[in-house]
Amino acid sequence: MTIGFAPPLTASESMVKAFYKDEYATIELDESIPCIKLTLNGVPRYSEHYNFVQMKRLELMRQEIRNYPKLHMLTDSRTAGPVLDEDVAYFRGHVMPEMEKAGVRYLAIVMPSSKFTQLTIREMIGEVTIMKVQFFDSIRDARHWLRKMTLL
């Protein structure tokens, strides 16, 4: 009789914990930074779906901010499509203020290639006053920047 062992997790695998997943969004906690990573793919089914995904992100944020006083946000929008104007307004008027109120100070966004979707994302950020938002072309650069912000 032989006993097999599962291969050990790599450092990055053991530091990332899944929280929510559907065909549009994946929300994870990356303890190595620490940050909440939202990966978007395509477009939400409808505005309520978009709002639900954002509420799940805020739920994880509220749950983890006590464990990580310097909790950051990372949005991977490389394969995201544009959202409706009402979704832009919801993000600007509800999601961003909730993040800032909770103490999140850094948001890294990996941008899609679509110029229209880039414009929509920039519109969503609006005129932030507390949080620093930085745009990136790669996940690697975004993660590197957030790690540097953790050391400040």
Side-chain angles (χ1 to χ4, degrees), residues 73-84:
M73 293 288 166
L74 171 59
T75 304
D76 181 356
S77 298
R78 288 175 297 176
T79 59
V83 294
L84 299 173

Side-chain angles (χ1 to χ4, degrees), residues 15-17 19 27-38 56-75 95-96 98-108 130-133 142-143 145-152:
M15 300 298 281
V16 176
K17 296 181 178 164
F19 180 73
I27 302 170
E28 303 165 304
L29 172 67
D30 184 342
E31 294 177 318
S32 70
I33 292 179
C35 74
I36 293 173
K37 179 183 175 195
L38 171 61
K56 294 303 281 182
R57 172 158 61 172
L58 293 175
E59 178 185 333
L60 181 58
M61 174 197 71
R62 289 184 197 103
Q63 176 184 310
E64 295 297 336
I65 197 87
R66 292 180 294 267
N67 301 325
Y68 304 99
K70 285 191 171 185
L71 184 66
H72 309 309
M73 293 288 166
L74 171 59
T75 304
V95 178
M96 287 293 287
E98 285 291 316
M99 288 179 187
E100 290 181 334
K101 189 170 87 175
V104 174
R105 295 297 171 255
Y106 299 100
L107 167 60
I130 299 172
M131 194 180 305
K132 171 103 170 103
V133 179
R143 290 171 51 93
W145 179 73
L146 288 175
R147 280 199 181 97
K148 282 191 344 191
M149 296 304 105
T150 301
L151 299 176
L152 296 179

